[in-house]
């Protein structure tokens, strides 16, 4: 049980990456007020958590419905996590997330500018003015914060792999869900202190931490692949016998 708890915490913490999300969230909400940042951080973590919870509780049934075995999913999920780890070690993941943040911010700016331009028309209606001010500070809690920055493919895969690893034991499953809640709580805390955390850690230290965690995730991904492949081989041998 302790091994599952440690594995779950390391995997989810590395994949969701609260420390890495903090500076990106700060950049994404740099034009919002402090109250708006807090509100969007809470909403984003809740939405992302609900998505991950849905896959944790219903993911196995979904796999059964489409005819995919858990062992095959372990192999595929391990490979996907290894790709995520590879990106972390070589800083590709950070650059991709930055591009997502920049794209979302650009879309927000364009929407706000279009709405303000319409509102400045001589015949602009009051509802257009209200829409302009709403677009000026677009809500980013669902996209891109909740999906895909928090509940991305890696986090969804990790959550499903960990709950299936519990083997139907409700105590072990609740342990994994508790670890998930702990990681999401740490993510919320990191988002709420994004500015101070970024100044405290610094870019160099954050890059070093990301690379070390990436190596750990690569090892866990390799273990997922080995476990799944071993079970698949055993299954084939049993069928042939």
């Amino acid at each position: 049980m302790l091994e599952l708890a440690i594995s779950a915490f390391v995997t989810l913490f590395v994949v969701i990456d609260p420390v890495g999300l903090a500076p990106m969230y700060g950049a994404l909400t740099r034009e919002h007020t402090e109250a708006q940042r807090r509100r969007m951080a809470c909403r984003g973590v809740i939405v992302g958590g609900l998505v991950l919870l849905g896959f944790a509780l219903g993911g196995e049934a979904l796999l059964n419905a489409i005819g995919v075995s858990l062992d095959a999913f372990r192999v595929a999920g391990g490979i996907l996590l290894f790709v995520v780890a590879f990106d972390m070690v070589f800083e590709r993941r950070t650059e991709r997330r930055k591009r997502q943040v920049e794209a979302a911010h650009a879309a927000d700016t364009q929407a706000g500018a279009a709405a303000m331009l319409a509102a400045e028309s001589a015949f602009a209606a009051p509802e257009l003015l209200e829409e302009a001010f709403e677009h000026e500070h677009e809500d980013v809690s669902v996209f891109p914060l909740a999906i895909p920055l928090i509940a991305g493919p890696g986090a969804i895969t990790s959550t499903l792999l960990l709950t299936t690893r519990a083997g139907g034991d409700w105590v072990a499953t609740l342990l994994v869900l508790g670890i998930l809640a702990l990681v999401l709580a740490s993510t919320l805390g990191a988002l709420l202190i994004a500015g101070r955390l970024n100044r405290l850690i610094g870019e160099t230290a954050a890059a070093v931490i990301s690379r070390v965690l990436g190596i750990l995730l690569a090892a866990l991904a390799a273990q997922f692949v080995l476990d799944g492949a071993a079970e698949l081989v055993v299954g084939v041998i049993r069928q042939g016998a």
Side-chain angles (χ1 to χ4, degrees):
M1 197 70 72
L2 179 61
E3 180 185 353
L4 177 60
I6 295 175
S7 176
F9 179 78
V10 172
T11 302
L12 292 174
F13 190 87
V14 171
V15 172
I16 296 177
D17 191 14
V19 177
L21 276 180
M24 297 177 194
Y25 180 71
L28 188 63
T29 59
R30 59 181 177 268
E31 295 181 0
H32 294 77
T33 66
E34 190 64 29
Q36 288 174 326
R37 290 176 183 172
R38 288 195 300 268
R39 185 166 58 250
M40 287 188 294
C42 293
R43 187 181 297 120
V45 171
I46 290 173
V47 172
L50 290 175
V51 171
L52 295 177
L53 180 63
F55 276 93
L57 298 179
E60 187 173 352
L62 176 62
L63 291 179
N64 292 332
I66 61 178
V68 176
S69 69
L70 291 178
D71 297 323
F73 186 82
R74 285 191 183 98
V75 174
I79 294 173
L80 176 59
L81 291 180
F82 189 84
V83 173
V84 173
F86 184 86
D87 287 347
M88 289 180 67
V89 172
F90 292 97
E91 283 295 302
R92 296 180 181 178
R93 186 187 187 206
T94 301
E95 292 301 321
R96 184 170 61 250
R97 280 182 163 181
K98 285 181 178 178
R99 288 195 298 269
Q100 289 173 338
V101 168
E102 289 170 357
H105 184 71
D108 179 16
T109 303
Q110 291 175 358
M116 289 298 292
L117 188 62
E120 287 174 357
S121 170
F123 301 100
E127 51 269 21
L128 282 179
L129 287 170
E130 183 178 354
E131 181 182 355
F133 286 112
E134 287 179 356
H135 278 292
E136 189 177 5
H137 299 294
E138 193 74 24
D139 190 339
V140 299
S141 58
V142 177
F143 176 83
L145 180 57
I147 304 171
L149 294 182
I150 294 177
I156 291 173
T157 302
S158 301
T159 303
L160 185 48
L161 283 173
L162 290 167
T163 51
T164 55
R165 185 177 174 184
D169 185 351
W170 277 103
V171 176
T173 301
L174 289 176
L175 176 63
V176 172
L177 295 180
I179 296 296
L180 174 61
L182 177 62
V183 173
L184 289 174
S186 65
T187 301
L188 178 59
L191 296 180
L192 293 177
I193 59 171
R196 284 173 288 175
L197 187 63
N198 193 29
R199 290 191 297 270
L200 177 64
I201 296 178
E203 293 186 4
T204 302
V208 171
I209 294 172
S210 177
R211 282 174 167 82
V212 172
L213 293 178
I215 294 173
L216 291 175
L217 181 61
L220 289 169
Q223 190 63 55
F224 280 131
V225 172
L226 291 174
D227 291 343
E231 291 297 327
L232 286 174
V233 171
V234 170
V236 170
I237 294 175
R238 287 175 178 172
Q239 288 179 354

